[in-house]
């Protein structure tokens, strides 16, 4: 497995692979890999001849006062894990490589980015779509894999790929959870033991809501109110949003049907956690 820091070298390797008829599978990450990332890499291994992992904590998707400086990083461990799952190339550029002085171009997806995480993290998705666009240009993937835990991110990336006619097959992979239900996230490392226990309420809410929807509840507000009450019982929790949205438009639903996804963003202490689940599947 090779570790590449230079944009030019990565792009050259990708173009050569393409020239040789190799199919490139790509998993973009910000590192601090967990089982969720590894599931993407394993699927990528099945789908591509050349499997590329990028590790880049992208400054443009963090707002002021967010955790860019503190974001967990462990390149050595990430590379060891990557090698175990059969990654061929790790692309780990630094910020100067990706955003050299004079950098001035950004990609903005409208509408889908206005609600949910987009409303509470202004500029976040502009940073995500910009870096994913750049990474696609550098890595030249045929197929790229993303986790469904970032449900809105996946929808926004799909929209960008469609709108900009990018020849990349975007695959969304299921959320990977700890045995107790907590959705895997690099940010879980911030949680104290007591906070981690409280964090389990998020997946519990999704389970309970799906159960009630399956039993016939069709009013989103009933489930949202029940979820709000559950969170209010927690010592260290603060709700960012709890919404039930249409899977494609991400607009709030007035009646639950097969398209309904419940999306949660909740601070446990200073740690902002997100989770989601379909209500009728
Ligand atoms: O999901 C992430 O880890 C990041 O948002 C991504 C897609 C790697 C872009 O920096």
């Amino acid at each position: 497995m090779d570790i590449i820091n230079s944009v030019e070298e990565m792009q050259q390797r990708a173009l050569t692979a393409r020239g040789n008829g190799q199919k490139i599978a790509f998993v973009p990450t910000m590192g601090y890999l967990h089982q969720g990332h590894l599931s993407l890499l394993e699927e990528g291994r099945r789908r591509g001849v050349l499997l590329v992992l990028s590790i880049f904590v992208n400054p443009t998707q963090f707002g002021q006062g967010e955790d860019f400086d503190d974001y967990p990083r462990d390149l050595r461990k990430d590379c060891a894990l990557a090698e175990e799952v059969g990654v061929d190339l790790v692309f780990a550029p630094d910020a100067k490589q990706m955003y050299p002085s004079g950098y001035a171009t950004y990609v903005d997806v409208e509408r889908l980015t206005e609600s949910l995480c987009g409303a509470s993290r202004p500029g976040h998705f502009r940073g995500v779509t910009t870096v994913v666009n750049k990474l696609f240009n550098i890595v030249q993937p045929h197929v790229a894999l993303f986790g469904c835990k970032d449900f809105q991110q996946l929808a926004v990336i799909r929209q960008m790929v469609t709108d900009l006619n990018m020849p990349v097959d975007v695959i969304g992979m299921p959320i990977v959870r700890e045995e107790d239900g907590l959705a895997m996230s690099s940010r879980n490392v911030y949680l104290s033991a007591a906070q981690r226990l409280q964090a389990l309420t998020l997946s519990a809410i999704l389970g309970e809501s799906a159960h009630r929807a399956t039993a016939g509840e069709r009013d989103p507000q009933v489930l949202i109110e029940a979820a709000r009450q559950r969170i209010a019982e927690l010592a260290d929790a603060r709700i960012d949003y709890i919404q039930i949205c249409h899977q494609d438009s991400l607009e709030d639903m007035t009646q639950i049907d097969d398209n309904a996804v419940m999306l949660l963003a909740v601070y446990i202490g200073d740690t902002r956690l997100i989770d989601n689940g379909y209500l009728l599947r």
Side-chain angles (χ1 to χ4, degrees):
M1 186 184 81
D2 288 343
I3 302 168
I4 298 174
N5 304 118
S6 140
V7 166
E8 287 73 25
E9 188 184 344
M10 180 64 242
Q11 198 172 45
Q12 205 44 59
R13 292 282 288 265
L15 289 170
T16 305
R18 272 195 170 247
N20 292 336
Q22 288 186 331
K23 187 168 175 188
I24 302 176
F26 177 42
V27 177
T29 76
M30 299 204 299
Y32 215 71
L33 302 184
H34 51 67
Q35 197 53 47
H37 297 115
L38 300 185
S39 74
L40 304 182
L41 291 167
E42 279 155 10
E43 183 61 22
R45 185 64 291 164
R46 281 189 281 275
R47 288 176 182 259
V49 171
L50 189 75
L51 176 59
V52 182
L53 161 71
S54 69
I55 298 177
F56 178 60
V57 184
N58 172 37
T60 63
Q61 69 187 75
F62 290 80
Q64 286 227 328
E66 292 191 348
D67 57 344
F68 174 70
D69 288 334
D70 298 333
Y71 197 84
R73 293 160 168 91
D74 192 341
L75 185 60
R76 189 177 302 197
K77 187 169 169 215
D78 286 346
C79 288
L81 288 169
E83 188 141 38
E84 268 175 39
V85 289
V87 168
D88 297 300
L89 297 179
V90 175
F91 176 51
D94 64 19
K96 280 208 187 94
Q97 281 272 323
M98 293 295 277
Y99 301 106
S101 108
Y103 187 87
T105 304
Y106 293 87
V107 178
D108 215 346
V109 172
E110 296 179 355
R111 284 194 294 281
L112 280 179
T113 57
E114 283 160 19
S115 60
L116 302 162
C117 293
S120 41
R121 303 184 68 191
H124 167 68
F125 286 117
R126 179 179 186 254
V128 170
T129 43
T130 299
V131 81
V132 170
N133 204 316
K134 283 172 67 67
L135 289 166
F136 282 2
N137 285 331
I138 297 164
V139 175
Q140 300 275 316
H142 297 83
V143 52
L145 300 103
F146 295 85
C148 287
K149 186 170 80 68
D150 295 288
F151 193 91
Q152 187 178 17
Q153 168 172 282
L154 181 59
V156 169
I157 288 168
R158 285 193 199 284
Q159 180 83 49
M160 172 184 77
V161 163
T162 302
D163 289 351
L164 299 183
N165 311 99
M166 301 170 91
V168 182
D169 190 8
V170 172
I171 311 288
M173 292 290 292
I175 298 175
V176 178
R177 297 181 180 281
E178 305 279 358
E179 262 181 33
D180 56 13
L182 183 65
M184 292 207 182
S185 163
S186 305
R187 289 190 168 100
N188 289 348
V189 70
Y190 298 146
L191 298 168
S192 69
Q195 289 172 341
R196 200 188 170 291
L197 265 180
Q198 295 175 54
L200 296 180
T201 305
L202 273 68
S203 51
I205 286 171
L206 294 172
E208 287 156 18
S209 302
H211 186 73
R212 288 182 69 176
T214 306
E217 181 58 67
R218 290 290 174 269
D219 184 348
Q221 290 314 319
V222 170
L223 300 184
I224 290 171
E225 189 43 41
R228 287 189 170 278
Q229 282 174 21
R230 288 277 264 125
I231 302 285
E233 286 160 14
L234 304 175
D236 301 311
R238 177 166 61 83
I239 295 170
D240 181 352
Y241 61 75
I242 300 179
Q243 287 175 235
I244 293 176
C245 299
H246 189 286
Q247 58 168 342
D248 299 324
S249 67
L250 299 186
E251 281 168 13
D252 287 321
M253 296 186 81
T254 51
Q255 172 92 357
I256 292 167
D257 64 25
D258 283 357
N259 292 302
V261 187
M262 188 172 209
L263 298 120
L264 316 172
V266 176
Y267 286 91
I268 306 285
D270 291 333
T271 307
R272 185 174 177 280
L273 299 177
I274 57 172
D275 203 347
N276 68 78
Y278 282 94
L279 291 175
L280 284 176
R281 291 190 187 182

